Amino acid sequence: MTDNKPVDVVLIGGGIMSATLAVLLKQLQPDWTIEVFERLGDVALESSNPWNNAGTGHAALCELNYMPQGADGEVDPGKAISINEQFQLSRQFWAHLVREGQLGDPSSFINTAPHMTFVRGERDVEYLKKRYESLKDQPLFGDIEYSEDSRVINKWAPLLMRKRRAGEPFAATRVHTGTDVDFGALTHKLFDAAVADGGVGLNLNFEVRGLKKHKDGTWGIRFRDLVGRTPGTVNARFVFVGAGGWALKLLQKSGIPEVKGYGVFPISGQFLRTDNPKVVAEHTAKVYSQAAVGAPPMSVPHLDTRVVDGQASLLFGPYAGFSPKFLKNGSITDLVTQVRPHNLVPMLAVAKDNPSLLKYLIGELLASRAKKFDALREFMPTAREEDWYLITAGQRAQVMKKDAKKGGVLQFGTEVIAAADGSIAGLLGASPGASTAVPIMLDVLKRCFPDELASWEPRIREMIPTYGETLNGDPEKARAVMASTAEALKIAD
């Protein structure tokens, strides 16, 4: 493909973010032309792949890192509520597409999996009880349960309690309406829907090599067909870079000043996985705990039910590691080649201020398989090594950015980088990531298409009824919306 006539939109990367934006734009502006470029042979092979992430519908129901304990000992539910609100937007959009017949059977990508938190030791038990007390009266968390009773927790997740040491303090919370999401399957379905609507071209094995702003305001995208090694170009009025860790590299090539000062720090990982049907049948939940001291929030240990292609498995991890690549299929030079004069100081400041993280990563790299298995046994005392095997998870490129006080900070979250004129935008960072793809892409629309947004808003509200609103302050509406999406998606209400 080499065409000087501009297309309306180019999406770089074949993950859940680009897929979501493609469908949103086709719903809002069906006459626009969209081209998608993915450097691998299929979509959803990096972070959106179900085996490269935990598949949790991140709604802050069980993830303790969204509610850290303050210096005064108190816990603030604000961030947890905000993330849950975002996930409700994603649920509404998916439910709309299911009702419209565009995603097929929802059980192919979303299933009920109770979300639990399990902690041990008096200090963590006290914290978890405070967290429960701060959430139980919030409408979006109204069905959260708390227990320190081994008999109750055994009913919720028996594998956690068998052969547990007598007299050990422990506690758990449970939300039975949690979900397991196969973002790989969802990504495929979204792209299928976008392509079927017409006007969307999906170009696999095409690697974008350069971006240049033309005088007329369009972007020239230079690419290469990796199969035939044929180069080509295309012009676009708008570009979205949803290329995972490589988004930074491409945004740097674009030359937009908004990306100055940014860098990314890649963290790789592994999971222990079992497909033993006897073991899998005894655990139907996603159970999170506390991260180790000095560990990044994304390394919170969890024992998860996963349903991929209709087959249930269990994952435990993640075990953090290090690779200089920004993607699993990236380059070993990624970490070095991102360095620019404008981001060197923030990156050095991050290295200086995070010795505990570096120590943790080195410890994880040196950990033997036996040591990794010991971590699983802390969760599941009856685990047998022969039932489990290690799989490699996806790369998480955490954002490093300028900070007025510290020089630079490591940010655990996602951030949209957009040019001042709205002609190009990209997404950096990881968790909660895929679960909040819909609100993140709505933010892209708001920032990059201010002139069109007013005419789009009625259609957005048809698809996402609470767009621009919050649910947690309206208990009746919260219950109604969650019940409606649960019915459409065939998940627990």
Side-chain angles (χ1 to χ4, degrees), residues 39-40 45-54 242-247 264-271 298-299 318-335 338 361 365 391-399 412-414 427-431 433-434:
R39 60 190 290 268
L40 300 180
L45 290 182
E46 285 284 350
S47 295
S48 300
N49 181 276
W51 300 118
N52 286 343
N53 61 66
W246 272 27
V264 297
F265 183 75
I267 299 177
S268 63
Q270 294 179 317
F271 286 101
M298 59 168 291
S299 296
Y319 302 99
F322 176 75
S323 166
K325 297 180 180 181
F326 287 173
L327 296 170
K328 284 182 73 172
N329 295 281
S331 167
I332 60 172
T333 65
D334 286 345
L335 185 60
Q338 72 167 322
L361 290 176
L365 283 170
I391 64 172
T392 301
Q395 289 286 99
R396 298 292 182 267
Q398 306 294 155
V399 176
F412 294 99
T414 52
L427 183 70
L428 302 180
S431 180

Side-chain angles (χ1 to χ4, degrees), residues 15 41 49 59 64 74-75 122 175 188 207 216 229 240 263 281 289 296 314 359 430 462 485-486:
N49 181 276
L64 300 182
E74 297 304 310
V75 291
E122 291 182 2
V175 180
H188 277 90
E207 181 177 278
D216 63 0
R229 310 302 297 175
F240 173 71
S289 191
L314 297 183
K359 181 181 177 181
E462 289 178 15
T485 56

Side-chain angles (χ1 to χ4, degrees), residues 131-150:
R131 179 181 181 273
Y132 164 73
E133 291 293 336
S134 70
L135 288 176
K136 65 183 178 64
D137 295 325
Q138 304 292 340
L140 293 177
F141 297 82
D143 59 350
I144 191 170
E145 303 171 82
Y146 175 88
S147 183
E148 298 175 23
D149 188 330
S150 61

Side-chain angles (χ1 to χ4, degrees), residues 66-115:
Y66 296 141
M67 285 183 63
Q69 194 165 16
D72 59 359
E74 297 304 310
V75 291
D76 181 359
K79 186 173 182 180
I81 292 170
S82 173
I83 289 174
N84 195 296
E85 293 272 13
Q86 293 177 62
F87 185 60
Q88 299 306 324
L89 298 179
S90 292
R91 277 180 51 153
Q92 289 175 61
F93 185 57
W94 301 338
H96 165 79
L97 295 175
V98 168
R99 294 187 191 103
E100 294 291 310
Q102 297 201 52
L103 296 183
D105 181 359
S107 66
S108 63
F109 69 88
I110 187 168
N111 291 274
T112 299
H115 285 198

Side-chain angles (χ1 to χ4, degrees), residues 268-328:
S268 63
Q270 294 179 317
F271 286 101
L272 280 169
R273 171 180 167 183
T274 181
D275 307 312
N276 185 325
K278 291 183 179 180
V279 178
V280 173
E282 293 191 274
H283 185 84
T284 307
K286 291 182 177 290
V287 186
Y288 277 54
S289 191
Q290 288 278 38
V293 175
M298 59 168 291
S299 296
V300 170
H302 45 92
L303 180 62
D304 283 7
T305 292
R306 295 304 324 274
V307 180
V308 178
D309 296 329
Q311 177 69 40
S313 302
L314 297 183
L315 289 186
F316 177 78
Y319 302 99
F322 176 75
S323 166
K325 297 180 180 181
F326 287 173
L327 296 170
K328 284 182 73 172

Side-chain angles (χ1 to χ4, degrees), residues 64 69 73 118-131 146-148 165-172 289-290:
L64 300 182
Q69 194 165 16
F118 179 72
V119 298
R120 297 172 299 126
E122 291 182 2
R123 181 178 178 180
D124 284 344
V125 169
E126 179 184 0
Y127 159 74
L128 189 63
K129 191 167 187 178
K130 285 183 178 180
R131 179 181 181 273
Y146 175 88
S147 183
E148 298 175 23
R165 189 171 70 248
E168 180 185 20
F170 49 75
S289 191
Q290 288 278 38

